[in-house]
Amino acid sequence: MLSIGVSELIVILVIVALLAVPVLVALIVVLGKRKSHNSNAAANLGQCRACGRPVSPRVQVCPECGTPRF
């Protein structure tokens, strides 16, 4: 039967933690970028004069009601 002592168990836990930390950090970075990208996109939207819907500054007419943007 295999007997694992306390020191071996600590070494195994440290190795698992060292492997898990970079994965968690990468996940946090990716989710953080996605959140900031979405909030920046919403901040750049204007509002249609006629219907009040959010409108991208790149479009010439409102996609909802067809009112010219300018």
Side-chain angles (χ1 to χ4, degrees), residues 17-32:
L18 288 175
L19 293 174
V21 167
V23 172
L24 292 174
V25 169
L27 186 62
I28 291 170
V29 168
V30 168
L31 291 176

Side-chain angles (χ1 to χ4, degrees), residues 33-46 54-58:
K33 284 185 179 180
R34 181 178 295 167
K35 185 176 180 181
S36 67
H37 176 69
N38 290 342
S39 64
N40 287 341
N44 291 335
L45 295 178
V55 180
S56 170
R58 296 179 184 165

Side-chain angles (χ1 to χ4, degrees), residues 41-53:
N44 291 335
L45 295 178
Q47 196 172 20
C48 176
R49 295 178 288 167
C51 67
R53 294 280 182 137

Side-chain angles (χ1 to χ4, degrees), residues 9-22:
L9 185 59
I10 291 173
V11 170
I12 291 171
L13 290 175
V14 167
I15 290 172
V16 169
L18 288 175
L19 293 174
V21 167

